[in-house]
């Protein structure tokens, strides 16, 4: 056996200590490592945990060390990258995973070559799209620890296939990333380590190569390692053994495996089984307040900052990748597996929150500046009124209800489209205010400026990646449709009727099929004896449901465009929970749902506000699709994944001594959908990354809204027996006391999730169009008041990125297939006034083989595989 000793450290940037506390240790560690490598030529390589952020963190303190680091990287002795930071694989968006690698590679290039291995030693499970992401960066090898069992493969090496067909040679580490960490100057002890690894792994390997991961959490390099390896080889040779030991690199190991392996299994899908090592299957429910902020920041950059900057750039304005990427960095720094999974101390979580604030401040400022710069290039027809411009930052023509705030001298006004046709609108609220109160006074008092500030909603239709100008006239005109959306306890629109039941749940009847959906948005409150790593019920639970409730129901808004009804539940719930049961003391907990139905949209939008007064419990919203199905689909990074409604391991996980319970509680991105061939139900969400499926073949979708706990780690949980994860440290902030808001939407539909185009609908729900009122102002008057830059024609293909290229002035457009089926003949119309050519590039924005046709009509793609991601670089005039 050839033992490949990988000298490394696993560096948690923050966890039970803060970033700055860990950085003190990092500086000392890096100082020692540089000195060791410079003075020990036989120390051939050290792996810096696959993340380049440690270089940034160190050099911010000691910038004079950059040349020394670069020399070691260029010599191939210090292995850096490919990631910016070691990520969780399920909660970050697909674009976030790409930016993590993209920025990681950029940083690495300042020093030397990056390690091109998909190194994921400690992520809590493996996402199905990782092979495609890695392959898109030219990486052909991956290494991970958690989530896979002998139910998938009995071998440590296999080909891991993504849903699009991408394959990477993969090794998993049954003994973790520290199976050689106890190597020392003790020869007998080292021989025992070799024997233990041989006994555990020899039968699982597919070649005569075995990894000894010589490192661990915050572990310094073993200075004597070259001598230790030399002594081991001398002893093995003297004993006539054919074993060899060498300080190696992951690339050497994978090259050797690839050369020797004859037939490797091909395995696809995600790996989330906690049989041998915990993956914390319910971890997505911890600190949902921070996870919501993560969603908001990702969405801000992906759907607004970059697309609006791109439009502005195409109109001749600037595009500053550096400041946008700084915002991305603040976001990505929160995507470390311990951080975004929120298994940290309260003070660490507070620092995460500040990074989200930093990212928002940068993003919102850049977005506003870019939008104003773009508006300055548009020629408006002021004879029609004051411009009200609507921006569509998605890649398809969309017709949605938009919200706008207008400020006028008059409270009465009319809205018309570019053709002068009157557009009905509905007032949300109106206030008379003095704009002087919002302006800085320098030297002299500003004059009073009294206006009516009115928030309205109206139906707008705008082509893909473009804008359209409506006009405001300060006159009273005809409003058209006057019937109210909500009448006699029933919402009625173009698609369905939704009736609020006495218990506050919804019953929906679809117009097209007469199919009826019952028991939608029923709330359930139960105990949580778990910790930040896992939800876990008490041994004796008390479950409180709103099935028999009598909430207060009141109409807040009702008109021709939309209606909003408030449903207020007051529940008496136990004040605390421990592993044995729930307390005898009760408190009132208020859940308010604001249900909104728009006349022209096939969704039921819900904002739920919870005033949380108790600890250690979970609140969920339940939805009954009323279908018979054994599987369902959910949104993953780039498309959908099909999952089982019932997992048989729930029957034998305890008997087989799994590390934790395995049951159908899953992560998601923007939606989950359960359907048969006749009807289905999609539940869309804004930053609620976890759902559960109950009742197997008659599935009920359970959306986790709030899950509170008071400790980082606890021992002997019902769903996770034995030792604790993390430290037994109090985390009061994770109890989530106080007021919390969450948003989700119900889409009842006929047919399957593909028939209803749920992927596109989810993007429309999570990314509303942007509206801006334009006052009279001089402008360059270059572009018309209605324009589209780029548009995709296939309803199952969406755009995930529209940004400037990192290295030149080309534009990057990334599309993906939202379905798990192949799509043929995909077209994208390009505005030839702005674009002159197109080429296919990889995720690193480098040209690859052509698979596209470029015609006078735009881009034509013969076919896209299931969940496939394609990236284009468009050159501009």
């Amino acid at each position: 056996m050839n033992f490949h000793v990988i000298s490394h450290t696993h560096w948690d940037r923050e966890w039970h200590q803060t970033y700055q506390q860990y950085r003190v240790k990092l500086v000392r560690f890096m100082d020692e490592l540089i000195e060791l490598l410079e003075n020990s030529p036989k120390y051939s390589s050290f792996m810096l945990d696959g993340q380049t952020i440690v270089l940034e963190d160190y050099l911010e303190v000691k910038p004079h060390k950059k040349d020394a680091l670069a020399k070691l990287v260029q010599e191939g002795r210090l292995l850096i990258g490919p990631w910016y930071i070691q990520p969780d694989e399920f909660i970050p968006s697909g674009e976030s995973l790409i930016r993590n690698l993209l920025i990681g590679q950029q940083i690495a290039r300042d020093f030397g070559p990056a390690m091109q291995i998909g190194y994921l030693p400690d992520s809590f499970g493996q996402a199905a799209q990782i092979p495609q992401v890695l392959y898109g960066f030219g990486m052909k090898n991956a290494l991970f620890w958690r989530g896979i069992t002998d139910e998938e493969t009995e071998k440590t090496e296999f080909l891991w296939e993504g849903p699009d067909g991408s394959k990477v040679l993969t090794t998993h580490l049954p003994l973790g990333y520290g199976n050689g960490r106890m190597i020392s100057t003790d020869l007998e002890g080292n021989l025992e380590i070799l024997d233990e690894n041989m006994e555990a792994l020899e039968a699982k390997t597919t070649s005569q190569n075995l990894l000894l991961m010589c490192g661990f959490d915050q572990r310094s390099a073993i200075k004597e390692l070259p001598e230790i390896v030399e002594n081991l080889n001398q002893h093995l040779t003297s004993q006539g053994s054919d074993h060899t030991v060498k300080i190696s690199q992951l690339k050497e190991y994978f090259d050797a495996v690839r050369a020797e392996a004859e037939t490797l299994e091909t395995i696809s899908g995600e790996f989330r089984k906690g049989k041998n090592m915990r993956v914390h299957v319910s971890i997505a429910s911890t600190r949902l307040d921070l996870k919501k902020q993560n969603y908001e920041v990702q969405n801000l950059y992906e759907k607004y900052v970059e697309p609006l900057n791109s439009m502005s750039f195409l109109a001749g304005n600037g595009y500053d990748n550096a400041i946008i990427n700084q915002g991305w960095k603040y976001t990505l720094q929160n995507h470390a597996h311990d951080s975004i999974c929120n298994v940290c101390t309260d003070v660490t979580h507070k620092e995460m929150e500040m990074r989200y604030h930093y990212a928002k401040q940068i993003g919102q400022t850049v977005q506003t500046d870019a939008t104003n710069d773009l508006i300055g290039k548009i020629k408006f027809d002021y004879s029609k009124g004051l411009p009200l411009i609507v921006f569509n930052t998605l890649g398809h023509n969309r017709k949605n209800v938009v919200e706008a705030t207008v400020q006028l001298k008059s409270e009465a006004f009319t809205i018309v489209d570019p053709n002068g046709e009157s557009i009905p609108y509905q007032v949300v609220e109106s206030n008379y205010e003095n704009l002087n109160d919002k302006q800085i006074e320098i030297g002299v008092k500003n004059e009073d400026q009294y206006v009516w500030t009115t928030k309205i909603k109206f139906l707008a239709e705008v082509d893909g990646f473009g804008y359209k100008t409506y006009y405001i006239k300060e006159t009273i005109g005809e409003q058209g449709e006057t019937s109210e959306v909500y009448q006699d306890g029933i919402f009625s629109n173009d698609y369905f009727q939704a009736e609020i039941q006495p218990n506050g749940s919804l019953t929906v009847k679809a117009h097209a099929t007469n199919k009826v959906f019952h028991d939608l948005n029923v709330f359930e409150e139960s105990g949580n004896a778990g910790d930040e790593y896992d939800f876990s019920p008490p041994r004796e639970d008390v479950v409180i449901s709103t099935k028999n409730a009598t909430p207060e129901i009141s109409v807040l808004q009702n008109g021709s465009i939309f209606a909003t009804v408030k449903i207020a539940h007051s529940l008496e719930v136990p004040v605390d929970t421990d592993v044995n049961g729930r307390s005898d003391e009760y408190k009132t907990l208020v859940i308010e749902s604001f249900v909104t139905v728009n006349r022209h949209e096939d969704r039921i939008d819900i904002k739920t506000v919870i005033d949380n007064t108790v600890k250690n419990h979970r609140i969920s919203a339940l939805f009954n699709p009323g279908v018979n199905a054994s599987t369902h689909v959910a949104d993953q990074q780039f498309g959908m994944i099909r999952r089982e409604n019932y997992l048989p391991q729930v029957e034998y996980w305890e008997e087989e001594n799994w590390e934790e319970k395995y049951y159908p509680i899953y992560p998601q991105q923007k939606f989950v959908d359960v359907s048969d061939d006749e009807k289905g139900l999609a539940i869309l969400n804004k930053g609620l990354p976890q759902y559960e499926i109950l009742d197997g073949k008659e599935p009920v979708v359970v959306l986790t809204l709030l899950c509170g706990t008071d400790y980082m780690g606890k021992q002997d949980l019902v769903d996770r027996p034995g030792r604790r994860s993390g430290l037994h440290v109090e985390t009061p902030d994770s109890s989530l006391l106080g007021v919390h808001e969450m948003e989700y939407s119900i889409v009842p539909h006929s047919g399957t999730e593909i028939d209803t185009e749920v992927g596109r609908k989810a993007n429309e729900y999570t990314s509303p169009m942007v509206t801006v009122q334009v006052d009279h102002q001089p402008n360059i008057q270059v572009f018309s008041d209605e324009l589209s830059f780029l548009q995709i024609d296939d309803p199952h293909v969406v755009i995930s990125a529209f940004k400037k290229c990192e290295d030149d002035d080309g534009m990057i457009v990334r599309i993906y297939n939202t379905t798990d089926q192949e799509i043929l003949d995909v077209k994208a119309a390009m505005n030839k006034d702005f674009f002159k050519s197109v080429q296919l590039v990889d995720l690193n924005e480098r040209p690859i083989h052509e698979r596209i046709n470029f015609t006078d009509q735009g881009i034509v793609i013969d076919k896209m595989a299931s969940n496939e991601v394609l990236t284009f670089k468009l050159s501009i005039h």
Side-chain angles (χ1 to χ4, degrees):
M1 184 67 70
N2 302 313
F3 290 94
H4 294 257
V5 178
I6 307 298
S7 184
H8 76 101
T9 190
H10 177 58
W11 202 268
D12 294 305
R13 191 172 187 256
E14 59 189 10
W15 181 23
H16 57 83
Q17 292 187 356
T18 65
Y19 156 53
Q20 297 295 354
Q21 289 171 321
Y22 274 132
R23 181 153 77 164
V24 173
K25 299 177 182 179
L26 174 67
V27 170
R28 294 172 181 165
F29 161 80
M30 292 294 292
D31 283 344
E32 293 174 0
L33 179 63
I34 292 170
E35 181 180 3
L36 172 63
L37 294 178
E38 286 179 337
N39 295 323
S40 301
K42 291 184 179 180
Y43 214 118
S44 57
S45 68
F46 186 91
M47 183 174 65
L48 209 52
D49 201 32
Q51 50 182 336
T52 55
I53 195 170
V54 292
L55 302 174
E56 282 192 335
D57 292 344
Y58 174 66
L59 292 175
E60 188 177 303
V61 177
K62 296 194 173 182
H64 59 282
K65 292 288 190 177
K66 182 174 181 180
D67 289 344
L69 286 171
K71 184 174 184 294
L72 292 171
V73 172
Q74 290 158 18
E75 291 173 350
R77 299 177 62 214
L78 184 61
L79 307 177
I80 62 173
W83 299 98
Y84 178 56
I85 197 164
Q86 279 288 344
D88 175 70
E89 296 176 34
F90 292 101
I91 297 168
S93 67
E95 278 301 318
S96 292
L97 290 175
I98 288 174
R99 305 315 169 89
N100 197 330
L101 283 170
L102 190 64
I103 290 173
Q105 305 274 305
Q106 287 176 339
I107 293 171
R109 283 199 292 270
D110 285 342
F111 297 86
M115 182 178 73
Q116 297 299 305
I117 307 289
Y119 183 60
L120 292 158
D122 203 23
S123 299
F124 300 132
Q126 318 303 320
Q129 278 286 25
I130 291 298
Q132 182 172 191
V133 171
L134 296 178
Y135 198 86
F137 278 90
M139 299 179 198
K140 305 298 173 60
N141 304 308
L143 183 74
F144 66 77
W145 174 22
R146 302 177 190 257
I148 199 167
T149 73
D150 53 10
E151 293 184 352
E152 288 79 33
T153 179
E154 295 181 353
K155 298 299 182 181
T156 50
E157 296 84 41
F158 55 92
L159 295 176
W160 186 12
E161 183 175 28
D164 72 321
S166 301
K167 294 181 182 180
V168 291
L169 173 59
T170 302
T171 293
H172 80 97
L173 302 168
L175 304 182
Y177 54 81
N179 64 317
R181 69 182 183 276
M182 300 307 293
I183 287 176
S184 68
T185 54
D186 176 10
L187 177 62
E188 292 301 318
N190 294 337
L191 292 172
E192 287 182 14
I193 291 171
L194 297 188
D195 289 341
E196 289 168 358
N197 277 273
M198 284 285 290
E199 182 179 353
L201 300 176
E202 184 178 23
K204 294 176 176 293
T205 61
T206 60
S207 72
Q208 289 298 304
N209 297 278
L210 194 149
L211 283 172
L212 281 180
M213 303 297 291
C214 186
F216 206 61
D217 298 1
Q218 268 73 18
R219 182 71 65 87
S220 296
I222 298 174
K223 296 180 180 180
E224 303 86 0
L225 190 60
E227 291 76 22
I228 292 170
V229 168
E230 185 176 343
N231 289 338
L232 268 172
N233 281 317
Q234 288 176 354
H235 176 80
L236 292 169
T237 300
S238 69
Q239 299 298 310
S241 171
D242 58 357
H243 296 329
T244 63
V245 184
K246 64 177 292 190
I247 299 177
S248 187
Q249 302 181 9
L250 290 181
K251 183 180 184 305
E252 293 180 72
Y253 162 78
F254 276 110
D255 286 347
V257 170
R258 197 178 294 273
E260 290 187 30
E262 296 180 359
T263 303
L264 292 174
E265 293 179 86
T266 297
I267 305 172
S268 61
E270 61 188 4
F271 307 126
R272 299 182 63 247
K273 292 179 179 177
K275 180 179 182 179
N276 304 315
M277 187 57 192
R278 296 166 178 175
V279 298
H280 307 296
V281 292
S282 57
I283 203 167
S285 66
T286 304
R287 287 302 298 265
L288 285 171
D289 58 331
L290 289 175
K291 290 181 170 71
K292 180 183 177 185
Q293 289 190 50
N294 178 68
Y295 151 79
E296 291 170 346
V297 171
Q298 289 179 158
N299 206 51
L300 171 64
Y301 278 79
E302 295 171 22
K303 296 300 188 288
Y304 298 106
V305 174
E306 291 179 341
L308 287 167
N309 268 263
S310 296
M311 294 182 200
S312 185
F313 180 68
L314 291 169
N317 300 308
Y319 190 116
D320 193 339
N321 264 328
I323 190 62
I324 292 174
N325 282 346
Q326 183 60 50
W328 268 113
K329 282 184 176 182
Y330 285 129
T331 306
L332 296 173
Q333 286 164 17
N334 286 347
H335 286 179
H337 52 285
D338 292 317
S339 302
I340 191 59
C341 290
N342 301 121
V343 293
C344 306
T345 61
D346 281 351
V347 65
T348 299
H349 287 149
K350 284 184 171 68
E351 293 183 0
M352 288 180 60
E353 191 167 20
M354 284 309 302
R355 290 187 209 118
Y356 286 133
H357 287 321
Y358 295 154
K360 284 182 180 178
Q361 291 163 8
I362 291 171
Q364 290 167 350
T365 303
V366 171
Q367 177 188 336
T368 299
D369 290 348
T371 304
N372 290 336
D373 290 344
L374 174 57
I375 289 172
K377 297 289 185 71
I378 299 172
K379 181 178 181 180
F380 298 110
D381 185 352
Y382 286 100
S383 67
K384 296 178 181 177
L386 288 175
L388 179 61
I389 189 167
V390 181
F391 294 97
N392 175 11
T393 59
L394 299 183
H396 62 273
N397 172 277
R398 59 188 297 195
K399 192 174 183 180
N400 295 116
V401 172
V402 299
E403 185 174 275
T405 298
V406 298
Q407 293 181 324
L408 303 167
K409 298 292 184 182
S410 171
E411 189 176 11
F413 56 91
T414 302
I415 299 178
V416 298
D417 67 12
N419 298 320
E421 296 292 327
S422 180
I423 300 297
Y425 68 88
Q426 183 176 332
V427 174
V428 178
E429 61 179 348
S430 185
N431 297 293
Y432 194 56
E433 60 182 2
N434 188 354
L435 295 184
N436 180 34
D437 296 337
K438 301 178 180 180
Q439 298 173 348
I440 296 175
E441 294 181 327
I442 302 177
V444 297
K445 181 180 181 299
N446 295 335
E447 293 183 3
D448 291 334
Q449 302 177 64
Y450 286 98
V451 298
W452 284 98
T453 299
T454 306
K455 186 182 293 184
I456 61 172
K457 287 187 178 183
F458 65 96
L459 184 66
E461 183 175 8
V462 186
D463 283 340
F465 278 120
Y467 60 82
K468 183 175 181 177
T469 306
Y470 294 81
Y471 290 92
I472 308 167
K473 294 183 177 182
E474 296 192 63
T475 58
I476 300 176
E478 289 291 328
Q479 283 296 303
E481 176 67 54
T482 58
S483 64
E484 295 177 328
V485 172
Y486 186 74
Q487 298 182 39
D488 301 322
I490 298 175
F491 296 97
S492 296
N493 70 3
D494 299 343
Y495 303 95
F496 53 72
Q497 285 188 333
E499 182 176 2
I500 300 176
Q501 300 300 318
N503 67 1
S505 69
L506 297 170
T507 298
V508 179
K509 182 178 181 180
H511 292 323
T513 62
N514 286 327
K515 300 293 184 182
V516 180
F517 301 83
H518 300 279
D519 297 324
L520 306 181
N521 205 41
V522 173
F523 296 108
E524 189 172 276
E525 190 270 354
S526 60
N528 176 25
D531 51 25
E532 287 188 330
Y533 287 86
D534 286 293
F535 164 79
S536 185
R539 294 187 179 94
E540 297 292 334
D541 204 355
V542 174
V543 179
I544 296 168
S545 172
T546 62
K547 282 185 178 180
N548 298 314
T550 54
E552 294 183 6
I553 300 173
S554 55
V555 180
L556 302 184
Q557 298 276 347
N558 196 10
S560 61
I561 304 296
F562 76 99
T564 299
V565 175
K566 182 173 80 169
I567 304 167
H569 292 277
S570 293
L571 306 179
E572 296 298 313
V573 301
V575 300
D576 207 349
T577 304
D578 61 27
V579 71
N580 292 315
R582 307 196 69 183
S583 66
D584 295 330
E585 182 183 352
Y586 281 65
K587 271 189 179 180
T588 301
L589 181 146
V590 176
I591 302 175
E592 295 179 336
S593 281
F594 299 84
V595 181
T596 298
V597 172
N598 296 310
R599 178 176 299 280
H600 306 291
E601 294 183 325
D602 60 354
R603 305 190 316 256
I604 303 167
D605 296 342
I606 301 174
K607 180 174 75 173
T608 292
V609 180
I610 299 174
D611 186 358
N612 185 33
T613 56
V614 305
K615 301 192 303 179
N616 292 313
H617 70 139
R618 181 175 69 172
I619 300 174
S620 305
L622 280 63
F623 309 87
N624 185 0
V627 301
N628 289 314
S630 60
T631 63
H632 66 279
V633 298
D635 188 38
Q636 63 176 344
Q637 294 100 345
F638 305 119
M640 62 179 62
I641 183 169
R642 185 164 295 278
R643 291 168 169 152
E644 298 294 324
N645 294 342
Y646 174 76
L647 297 174
Q649 290 84 358
V650 74
E651 298 179 20
Y652 58 78
W653 72 276
E654 287 181 290
E655 180 182 336
E656 293 190 357
N657 295 315
W658 285 39
E659 287 280 325
E660 62 186 4
K661 181 179 179 179
Y662 186 56
Y663 62 112
I665 190 165
Y666 294 111
Q668 64 176 337
Q669 290 287 314
K670 296 185 288 292
F671 70 83
V672 55
D673 185 285
V674 180
S675 61
D676 55 23
D677 292 335
E678 294 185 353
K679 72 172 185 177
L681 193 73
I683 308 300
L684 320 181
N685 78 88
K686 294 183 179 180
L688 294 169
Q690 181 174 280
Y691 69 94
E692 185 175 354
I693 300 292
L694 301 179
D695 300 334
K697 290 188 177 180
E698 296 180 354
V700 173
V701 178
V702 182
L703 185 65
T704 306
L705 303 183
L706 183 146
C707 191
T709 184
D710 56 357
Y711 274 84
M712 177 192 290
K714 298 177 182 177
Q715 294 178 346
D716 298 317
L717 304 181
V718 172
D719 285 354
R720 198 194 70 211
R723 67 170 181 85
R724 68 172 184 267
S725 291
L727 296 179
H728 191 61
V729 175
E730 286 191 81
T731 54
D733 289 352
S734 288
S735 293
L736 296 183
L737 299 175
V739 177
H740 299 275
E741 293 184 1
M742 50 286 300
E743 294 181 78
Y744 47 97
S745 188
I746 304 170
V747 181
H749 61 82
S750 59
T752 68
E753 71 282 344
I754 294 177
D755 296 329
T756 198
E757 302 168 9
V758 67
R760 176 175 284 193
K761 291 184 190 300
N763 274 329
E764 291 182 352
Y765 170 65
T766 55
S767 304
M769 289 190 275
V770 177
T771 60
V772 180
Q773 179 187 339
V774 182
D775 294 324
H776 285 286
Q777 62 182 33
N779 53 54
I780 302 173
Q781 300 184 349
V782 177
F783 303 106
S784 83
D785 61 358
E786 184 175 359
L787 187 64
S788 172
F789 295 91
L790 180 75
Q791 183 155 299
I792 303 288
D793 73 339
D794 194 289
H796 302 300
V797 176
V798 301
I799 296 179
S800 69
F802 187 21
K803 61 181 283 290
K804 192 176 86 65
C805 185
E806 296 294 315
D807 299 326
D808 58 43
D809 286 344
M811 301 303 299
I812 293 295
V813 175
R814 187 155 30 252
I815 67 174
Y816 67 93
N817 178 355
T818 63
T819 78
D820 57 2
Q821 298 182 9
E822 184 179 80
I823 299 177
L824 303 176
D825 195 28
V826 177
K827 298 182 178 65
M830 294 166 39
N831 190 322
K832 294 299 184 63
D833 291 338
F834 300 94
F835 304 113
K836 61 182 180 181
S837 65
V838 61
Q839 63 182 150
L840 196 64
V841 296
D842 64 13
L843 296 181
N844 226 354
E845 302 182 4
R846 294 169 178 165
I848 55 177
H849 62 278
E850 295 297 326
R851 265 189 51 196
I852 58 173
N853 300 311
F854 184 51
T855 70
D856 291 339
Q857 286 71 43
I859 303 170
V860 180
I861 307 157
D862 291 337
K863 63 180 179 179
M864 290 186 71
S866 159
N867 295 270
E868 185 175 15
V869 180
L870 293 176
T871 306
F872 306 100
K873 180 177 178 181
L874 282 64
S875 60
I876 62 177
H877 290 294

